[in-house]
């Protein structure tokens, strides 16, 4: 049952969402000029937030799909909330490019539809690849999540005492009875979804990185971007899972299901991906120096010493230095430490995207164009609003849906039938 | 299965159910089914259930989706609206690959979802729920009574360790 903490959290989250709604209203009535965007930085907070939120979603898919394929049983306690996080993060992410287009009411032009003027979308553009990648990712994640929920809905339907609940969960469970004949199809489909999601988790952020990597802007035109973006996405996503689970396990007394061991394993992944990201930063600097390209070299010197160097140092400290504390078991298993680290990692990863976008754009090839980006209150407002939307949806989810996969947890409880046989379930 | 009269045995232990299912199949009884809160591996074989055909749908529709994506791109950029960009070939297939891949996964995934529920004959608004504990902590073995005498089936279920036997 929701505690007072849930209500406080919900009020704060919906308040933040309210700020976002006001900003969106002003944006729709007044136009794009309310943001601090200008020449040469046509992208700033909007794309930073888009890439950030898409990245957050990745840990959910990684936990639910890749760990499922790798037969990691520890995922069962956390996969449901991680998948929910994916759905809500991708929904939040989608708002940014849609609102950033300027004329939001014609956003459907992004879809390849025949039209009167015989104009088509440009399939060679990475921005269109994004439309396909993100919408596929969202659809498949949603189907995967819902498929996982059906047996749990059936369980809740059969346990419900209240008539209305029985009807609602009955409808959501689609009439699932737990027949072994159905389970055979279900399990195959679930495995296929896991396979498809795994391919997507690697492809989506790769495609997002193409938005930058296929351009000729120094600091973006880099072949390391696809793996670097994927590692960063998993890094920030896991940090967000840790942040949310720290709250959830105490608020809903799930300490027996989401144990310190689960948290520790996630912290190990944060440590690993943090080092991958740190390696990518250093590689970028090395290549800038090694390429002897003066523009590339300048951009990286500008990141270290220019007007946005503070963003670089925040990023480097939070993403590379802070996770190193997880070398110590005491830190990996301490709830307060992991909570602080996970928050700092998320701050660092937000600044990583900001750093890539703004520090590369604000000084382009022509020095007369150079200018400094100054965010307006509306830039901050819709960033706060995005966090509000995500947290509101997540809090509603933990209130009405089974936050721990009931069917899968039963499978890992003592004396599973298949302990000696070939097992597929995580 | 539920349209015909059947007997259902209720078990608490999945291992016992697995053995009971195996024994029933060896007796030559057909159309057996089991109800479990989570999938039990090896139970499909024990009951004589064949492989699922869902993966074939995924494969066919996934490939179809990818081919469809490529066809759309080719038609748009080569036939319907050819544009020379920087002297690059009209059929610049490497640039078409991301959309091709995503269309394949999208169509494959949606078809898998539809095929899975079609295979389970779901959704239905009137599911036949033999026992509400089967989605919680009990396991059921269903023996349809076509060609099997109720007395035989009942005796078998009791001897195999069923805690209770119900007529459904």
């Amino acid at each position: 049952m929701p505690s007072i903490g849930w209500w406080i959290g919900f009020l704060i989250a919906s308040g933040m969402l309210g700020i976002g709604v006001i900003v969106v209203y002003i944006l729709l009535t007044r136009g794009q000029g309310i943001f601090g965007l200008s020449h040469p930085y046509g992208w700033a907070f909007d794309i930073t937030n888009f890439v950030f939120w898409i990245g957050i979603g990745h840990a959910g898919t990684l936990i639910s799909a890749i760990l499922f394929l790798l037969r990691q049983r520890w995922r069962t306690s956390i996969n449901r909330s991680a998948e929910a996080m994916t759905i809500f993060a991708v929904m939040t992410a989608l708002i940014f490019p849609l609102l950033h287009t300027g004329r939001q009411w014609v956003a459907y032009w992004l879809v390849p539809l025949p039209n009167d003027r015989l104009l088509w979308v440009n399939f060679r553009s990475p921005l269109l690849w994004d439309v396909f990648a993100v919408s596929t990712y969202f659809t498949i994640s949603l189907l995967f999540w819902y498929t996982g929920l059906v047996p749990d809905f059936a369980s809740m339907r059969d346990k419900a005492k209240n008539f209305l609940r029985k009807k609602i969960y009955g409808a959501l469970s689609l009439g699932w009875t737990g027949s072994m004949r159905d389970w055979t199809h279900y399990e195959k489909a679930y495995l296929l979804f896991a396979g498809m999601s795994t391919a997507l988790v690697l492809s989506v952020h790769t495609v997002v990185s193409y938005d930058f990597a296929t351009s000729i802007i120094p600091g973006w035109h880099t072949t390391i971007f696809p793996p670097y973006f994927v590692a960063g996405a998993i890094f920030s996503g896991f940090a967000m899972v840790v942040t949310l689970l720290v709250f959830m396990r105490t608020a809903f007394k799930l300490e027996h299901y989401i144990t310190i061991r689960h948290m520790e394993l996630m912290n190990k992944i944060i440590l690993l991906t943090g080092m991958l990201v740190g390696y990518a930063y250093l590689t970028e600097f090395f290549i800038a120096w090694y390429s002897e390209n003066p523009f590339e070299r300048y951009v990286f010197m500008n990141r270290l010493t220019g007007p946005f160097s503070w963003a670089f140092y925040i990023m480097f400290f939070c993403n590379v230095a802070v996770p190193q504390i997880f070398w110590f078991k005491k830190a990996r298993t301490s709830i307060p430490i992991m909570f602080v680290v996970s928050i700092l990692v998320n701050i660092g990863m937000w600044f990583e995207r900001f750093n890539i976008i703004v520090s590369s754009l604000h000084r382009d090839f022509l020095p007369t164009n150079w200018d400094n980006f100054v965010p307006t209150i509306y830039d901050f407002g819709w960033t706060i609003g995005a966090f509000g939307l995500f947290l509101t949806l997540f809090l509603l989810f933990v209130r009405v849906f089974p936050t721990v996969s009931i069917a899968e947890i039963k499978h890992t409880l003592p004396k599973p039938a298949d302990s000696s046989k070939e097992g597929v379930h995580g | 299965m539920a349209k015909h009269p059947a007997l259902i045995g209720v078990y608490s232990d999945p291992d016992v159910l697995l053995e009971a299912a195996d024994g029933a199949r060896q007796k030559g009884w057909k159309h057996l089914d089991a109800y479990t809160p989570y999938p039990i591996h090896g139970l499909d074989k024990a009951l004589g259930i064949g492989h699922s055909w869902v993966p074939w749908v995924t494969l066919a529709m996934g490939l179809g989706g990818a081919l469809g994506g490529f066809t759309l791109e080719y038609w748009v950029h080569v036939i319907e609206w050819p544009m020379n960009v920087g002297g690059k070939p009209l059929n610049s297939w490497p640039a078409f690959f991301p959309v091709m891949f995503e269309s394949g996964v999208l169509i494959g995934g949606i078809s898998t979802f539809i095929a899975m529920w079609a295979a389970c004959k779901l959704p239905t608004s009137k599911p036949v729920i033999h026992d509400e504990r089967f989605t919680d902590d009990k396991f059921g073995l269903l023996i349809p009574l076509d060609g099997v005498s109720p007395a035989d089936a009942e005796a078998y279920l009791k001897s195999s360790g069923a805690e209770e036997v119900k007529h459904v």
Side-chain angles (χ1 to χ4, degrees):
Chain A
M1 288 309 285
S3 55
I4 187 89
W6 184 89
W7 280 108
I8 294 170
F10 187 71
L11 280 177
I12 295 172
S14 48
M16 287 160 72
L17 174 61
I19 295 172
V21 171
I22 294 168
V23 171
V24 171
Y25 175 75
I26 297 169
L27 170 68
L28 293 177
T29 48
R30 278 204 235 158
Q32 201 70 12
I34 61 168
F35 297 128
L37 300 173
S38 181
H39 197 71
Y41 37 78
W43 283 359
F45 271 39
D46 34 20
I47 303 300
T48 301
N49 280 311
F50 166 69
V51 183
F52 175 79
W53 283 106
I54 289 285
I56 293 295
H58 279 56
T61 318
L62 189 93
I63 288 171
S64 52
I66 298 184
L67 297 182
F68 176 79
L69 295 178
L70 296 175
R71 318 280 193 260
Q72 296 292 311
R73 278 172 177 259
W74 61 274
R75 75 181 260 289
T76 50
S77 302
I78 51 174
N79 72 325
R80 177 61 47 71
S81 27
E83 284 166 27
M85 191 189 81
T86 298
I87 312 274
F88 303 145
V90 176
M91 282 164 72
T92 310
L94 280 170
I95 290 171
F96 288 96
L98 284 183
L99 291 178
H100 174 77
T101 52
R103 288 194 282 160
Q104 295 81 6
W105 50 95
V106 290
Y108 66 91
W109 285 1
L110 293 164
V111 183
L113 292 169
N115 56 58
D116 314 344
R117 290 156 301 120
L118 298 174
L119 295 175
W120 285 94
V121 292
N122 181 8
F123 284 108
R124 298 185 187 104
S125 160
L127 298 179
L128 189 76
W129 302 345
D130 250 3
V131 173
F132 273 81
V134 177
S135 52
T136 302
Y137 185 49
F138 180 69
T139 312
I140 301 296
S141 303
L142 195 65
L143 296 180
F144 190 39
W145 184 56
Y146 185 67
T147 304
L149 273 164
V150 166
D152 291 357
F153 281 140
S155 179
M156 290 169 88
R157 169 199 65 199
D158 292 346
K159 286 205 145 185
K161 300 211 166 55
N162 168 325
F163 175 78
L164 189 67
R165 277 192 187 193
K166 212 169 183 76
K167 281 285 162 210
I168 294 171
Y169 288 124
L172 288 170
S173 69
L174 307 177
W176 182 261
T177 57
S179 150
M180 195 58 212
R181 288 178 189 274
D182 293 353
W183 275 120
T184 318
H185 297 297
Y186 177 92
E187 282 229 278
K188 262 290 175 309
Y190 199 78
L191 190 70
L192 290 165
F193 274 125
M196 282 185 269
S197 305
T198 304
L200 285 178
V201 83
L202 300 176
S203 77
V204 172
H205 231 60
T206 301
V207 169
V208 170
S209 82
Y210 288 160
D211 291 346
F212 305 99
T214 57
S215 74
I216 54 160
I217 308 281
W220 287 3
H221 188 57
T222 317
T223 48
I224 200 176
F225 264 29
Y228 157 41
F229 268 50
V230 172
I234 294 165
F235 181 52
S236 61
F238 266 86
M240 189 61 100
V241 180
V242 169
T243 313
L244 294 176
L245 287 186
V246 164
F247 270 118
M248 227 174 70
R249 67 195 287 277
T250 30
F252 289 87
K253 303 199 170 44
L254 295 171
E255 285 95 342
H256 293 298
Y257 297 102
I258 305 165
T259 61
I260 286 288
R261 188 176 153 262
H262 294 128
M263 307 303 276
E264 189 189 352
L265 286 164
M266 287 193 284
N267 292 335
K268 282 184 181 172
I269 293 179
I270 291 177
L271 175 62
L272 171 75
T273 46
M275 285 191 295
L276 287 174
V277 169
Y279 172 74
Y281 298 157
L282 299 178
T283 308
E284 279 192 304
F285 276 93
F286 172 75
I287 294 296
W289 166 76
Y290 189 70
S291 67
E292 298 193 6
N293 178 330
F295 296 104
E296 191 79 13
R297 279 186 178 182
Y298 177 75
V299 160
F300 282 89
M301 280 316 289
N302 185 42
R303 277 189 193 172
L304 284 182
T305 57
F308 290 103
S309 58
W310 53 273
F312 177 83
Y313 293 114
I314 292 177
M315 168 195 97
F316 203 85
F317 172 73
C318 292
N319 292 350
V320 183
V322 169
Q324 300 307 320
I325 197 171
F326 284 152
W327 283 107
F328 302 101
K329 193 177 169 77
K330 255 213 169 78
R332 285 202 303 268
T333 51
S334 150
I335 294 287
I337 292 180
M338 71 175 87
F339 184 68
V340 172
V341 171
S342 68
I343 298 276
L344 286 177
V345 166
N346 272 314
I347 293 172
M349 283 308 291
W350 193 89
F351 275 102
E352 180 194 298
R353 279 70 185 241
F354 178 81
N355 183 57
I356 291 172
I357 293 159
V358 175
S359 83
S360 298
L361 281 179
H362 85 119
R363 289 189 176 171
D364 65 0
F365 295 101
L366 204 60
T368 50
N369 277 339
W370 291 5
D371 198 2
N372 280 348
F373 167 69
V374 183
T376 64
I377 52 162
Y378 301 106
D379 280 304
F380 290 112
W382 78 336
T383 306
I384 292 169
F387 279 91
L389 174 66
F390 175 76
L391 293 174
T392 306
L393 290 171
F394 196 83
L395 286 165
L396 288 174
F397 156 76
V398 294
R399 179 79 179 79
V400 291
F401 279 9
T403 48
V404 172
S405 170
I406 304 171
E408 290 192 26
I409 270 289
K410 279 180 194 156
H411 203 250
T412 57
L413 291 179
K415 201 170 180 307
D418 62 330
S419 55
S420 58
K421 299 180 185 71
E422 185 189 2
V424 172
H425 248 258
Chain B
M1 243 49 67
K3 286 169 205 138
H4 307 290
L7 279 188
I8 198 156
V10 181
Y11 300 80
S12 293
D13 187 333
D15 288 338
V16 178
L17 169 76
L18 201 63
E19 276 172 33
D22 200 37
R25 183 183 46 93
Q26 282 173 13
K27 278 179 178 291
W29 294 345
K30 300 278 182 230
H31 307 300
L32 300 167
D33 201 353
Y35 293 88
T36 61
Y38 55 81
I40 295 167
H41 292 280
L43 188 58
D44 47 348
K45 279 199 196 89
L47 291 166
I49 301 172
H51 289 291
S52 170
W53 47 265
V54 172
W56 294 107
V57 176
T58 311
L59 180 70
M61 295 306 282
L63 291 175
L67 190 69
F70 180 77
T71 311
L72 176 67
E73 291 177 285
Y74 186 88
W75 182 75
V76 166
H77 284 323
V78 181
I79 299 164
E80 167 73 2
W81 198 30
M83 267 209 301
N84 186 337
V85 182
K88 291 189 183 107
L90 292 176
N91 178 23
S92 40
W93 65 268
F96 293 166
F97 194 80
V99 170
M100 207 175 118
F101 171 80
E102 300 295 342
S103 333
V105 176
L106 183 66
I107 304 294
I110 294 173
S111 321
T112 307
F113 188 76
I114 295 170
M116 170 183 64
W117 296 121
C120 299
K121 298 191 178 63
L122 292 177
T124 165
S125 56
K126 290 191 176 63
V128 184
I129 299 166
H130 298 305
D131 194 318
E132 292 193 338
R133 293 170 300 171
F134 291 156
T135 52
D136 185 19
D137 60 348
K138 295 287 178 194
F139 305 84
L141 176 62
L142 181 128
I143 302 176
L145 296 176
D146 41 353
V148 182
S149 87
D152 275 1
E154 189 165 353
Y156 174 75
L157 285 172
K158 280 193 174 146
S159 69
S160 70
E163 292 163 5
E164 47 184 293
V165 177
K166 301 188 347 179
H167 285 267
V168 289

